[in-house]
Amino acid sequence: MQTNIKFISADEAVKYVKSGDHIHFSSVASAPKVLIDALCRRGDAGELKNVFIHHLHTEGDAPYTEARYEGVFFHQAFFVGGNVRKNVQAGYADYIPIFLSETQKLYRSGALPCDVAMIQVSPVDKHGYVSLGTSVDATLAGIECAKVVIAVVNKHVPRAFGDALIPASKIDYFVEDNTPLMPAHFGQPNEIETAIGINCANLIEDGATLQMGIGAIPNAVLAQLGNHKNLGIHTEMFADGVLPLVEKGVINGANKKLDKGKMVSTFLMGSQTCYDFIDDNPMVAMMDVGYTNDPYIIAQNPKVTAINSALQVDLTGQVCADSLGTKFYSGVGGQIDFTYGASLSEGGKAIIAMPSVTNKGVSKIAPVLTEGAGVVTTRNHIHWFVTEYGAVDLYGKSLQERAKLIISVAHPDHREALDRAAFERFGPHFHFIG
């Protein structure tokens, strides 16, 4: 049992990184900033070259993606977060397209090496365990496969249960840093987002198991669920929006067949209140992403309702969620994992929800996707499509039928143009459909 551990400095710890190594960083609020800064100091000193860096979305600065480190660090993330987006689009950083469920498989299959895992953990408990807290995702696989594991021990990392608990003996070097985890705050939903939230909430049945991401639309949906009963959570992540529903007893997991009574997630991004919520909380199971995002695991719960967003949707139901034309904006993430998993669930509903127009009034529903746009959810996978103007079920609908339905929830200012485009694509008989 490893309870008395020896700490070294961050600068000492990163000396175990060699040129050509592949490094995994823990994700989101658990990004090991003190190690990242020390690693960059080695880069500045000219001590490293061709070091590959992998991670999911991270909060905080990502200096290793900057132009000055070209030839020193080669960033290849599994998701394009806001802190790396500009440099990915400029070509100084890069992205590996991958289903979130398979990020762990990259390491475990050997498709991607992992020489060094840099993680952040809670203090060692009396049983010799630490917790990965807010970031299990692909980090657990990184730990299993890495030749060297370096952990930042931070008293602010919550002691989460599930796969998050690992023996301290799996860690080679310990660094102490008690900087509070970086919180994420989300504004109140606006009128459009609230309307989308209402339309989505109307599709959620009592006893449903929910998956939804972060941001204004998920929060708007959650705000409408106060009168629901026996909701469960099986998701890739959650944030503060679920907490009032837990306190009210709306979210209790009573209807789940798998992990009954537990909220299952693989990472978190929220306020300190959210991080405190999972600390020593047996109701929350922070699990490996290969478990949370496996469509066949997801499908074992009844009435799985998955709500994901999009950047653009075309008239046939193709969903672009990762790029603006040729410029990568985010990533595949778990959208397909949960869209497919929900569609296999008994009574499940897969929902794509988005505002009908951009902030500049441009229609996000387009006759065809912008050149270079990536299709994340195919026209074969899409079921429910929701905007502030309503919800339509595209499952089992022909191309012409779904074009009619999609246009019906477009912004009124753009419906005529979209109708004309559909007419040109499908011919004059289009107007006799529906």
Side-chain angles (χ1 to χ4, degrees):
M1 186 183 309
Q2 188 172 1
T3 54
N4 296 316
I5 59 177
K6 182 181 178 181
F7 291 97
I8 61 175
S9 70
D11 288 305
E12 288 177 288
V14 298
K15 288 179 181 177
Y16 292 96
V17 176
K18 305 184 300 294
S19 293
D21 276 354
H22 286 252
I23 302 176
H24 175 82
F25 292 157
S26 52
S27 308
V28 197
S30 287
K33 187 179 187 306
V34 67
L35 295 177
I36 292 170
D37 291 344
L39 191 67
C40 288
R41 285 194 289 272
R42 283 199 70 193
D44 291 332
E47 297 175 1
L48 294 170
K49 61 181 181 179
N50 298 325
V51 173
F52 293 79
I53 293 177
H54 310 290
H55 56 71
L56 277 73
H57 165 71
T58 58
E59 288 291 289
D61 296 333
Y64 46 85
T65 65
E66 294 172 2
R68 63 192 173 107
Y69 290 118
E70 191 168 16
V72 178
F73 302 122
F74 189 18
H75 167 268
Q76 297 176 319
F78 307 145
F79 191 85
V80 181
N83 60 346
V84 302
R85 187 172 296 135
K86 180 181 177 182
N87 290 328
V88 168
Q89 292 176 353
Y92 294 115
D94 208 353
Y95 160 62
I96 298 175
I98 187 80
F99 296 125
L100 192 60
S101 60
E102 294 187 11
T103 53
Q104 50 77 32
K105 188 178 178 181
L106 288 175
Y107 293 138
R108 289 176 172 139
S109 70
L112 195 66
C114 186
D115 299 296
V116 182
M118 294 186 177
I119 64 177
Q120 191 158 208
V121 300
S122 67
V124 184
D125 67 20
K126 64 181 181 181
H127 302 293
Y129 280 74
V130 296
S131 177
L132 296 172
T134 63
S135 172
V136 178
D137 44 73
T139 296
L140 186 60
I143 294 167
E144 291 172 0
C145 299
K147 298 170 186 173
V148 176
V149 180
I150 305 170
V152 177
V153 179
N154 187 335
K155 67 181 182 181
H156 297 288
V157 173
R159 185 172 177 269
F161 295 130
D163 291 336
L165 285 174
I166 62 169
S169 58
K170 290 185 177 292
I171 298 166
D172 298 298
Y173 303 102
F174 297 86
V175 174
E176 187 172 24
D177 179 58
N178 288 316
T179 303
L181 300 187
M182 185 169 290
H185 299 291
F186 309 101
Q188 291 298 311
N190 61 29
E191 186 178 344
I192 291 174
E193 292 155 351
T194 298
I196 294 170
I198 292 170
N199 290 336
C200 289
N202 287 337
L203 298 175
I204 297 172
E205 300 176 42
D206 289 342
T209 298
L210 303 181
Q211 175 265 334
M212 56 186 68
I214 56 173
I217 290 177
N219 285 343
V221 176
L222 292 165
Q224 304 299 322
L225 300 179
N227 293 321
H228 278 63
K229 297 176 182 177
N230 299 327
L231 298 180
I233 297 289
H234 183 109
T235 185
E236 63 201 22
M237 66 82 56
F238 66 80
D240 294 65
V242 303
L243 303 187
L245 296 176
V246 175
E247 293 171 5
K248 199 174 180 179
V250 172
I251 292 176
N252 57 24
N255 202 51
K256 293 175 73 177
K257 290 184 178 177
L258 194 65
D259 302 309
K260 196 178 190 72
K262 291 189 181 294
M263 299 170 62
V264 174
S265 185
T266 195
F267 65 88
L268 293 184
M269 192 166 90
S271 70
Q272 186 61 47
T273 303
C274 189
Y275 305 150
D276 291 342
F277 171 74
I278 72 166
D279 185 49
D280 271 326
N281 188 345
M283 184 183 183
V284 179
M286 298 295 293
M287 303 298 288
D288 188 291
V289 72
Y291 179 82
T292 60
N293 284 54
D294 182 333
Y296 298 100
I297 294 290
I298 294 165
Q300 290 181 41
N301 278 312
K303 298 182 182 179
V304 173
T305 305
I307 302 173
N308 290 279
S309 196
L311 296 170
Q312 191 180 47
V313 173
D314 76 4
L315 290 180
T316 70
Q318 294 190 114
V319 178
C320 172
D322 63 352
S323 68
L324 297 168
T326 59
K327 291 189 177 296
F328 278 90
Y329 185 83
S330 55
V332 174
Q335 183 167 126
I336 279 291
D337 297 333
F338 277 94
T339 295
Y340 189 46
S343 71
L344 296 175
S345 163
E346 182 181 354
K349 293 175 183 173
I351 300 169
I352 298 294
M354 72 175 193
S356 63
V357 294
T358 68
N359 292 335
K360 296 181 179 179
V362 177
S363 179
K364 297 180 71 169
I365 296 171
V368 295
L369 297 180
T370 302
E371 184 177 359
V375 176
V376 171
T377 294
T378 72
R379 58 172 71 100
N380 318 303
H381 287 98
I382 194 169
H383 284 221
W384 285 92
F385 177 54
V386 176
T387 73
E388 68 271 32
Y389 292 102
V392 290
D393 186 3
L394 306 180
Y395 187 64
K397 302 298 191 297
S398 71
L399 294 174
Q400 294 183 45
E401 287 174 324
R402 60 177 54 198
K404 280 277 190 183
L405 290 169
I406 291 169
I407 292 169
S408 74
V409 295
H411 193 286
D413 291 350
H414 297 283
R415 290 178 191 171
E416 184 178 344
L418 291 169
D419 194 65
R420 191 181 312 117
F423 177 86
E424 292 171 358
R425 181 170 187 170
F426 299 117
H429 44 276
F430 172 72
H431 284 153
F432 294 98
I433 296 293

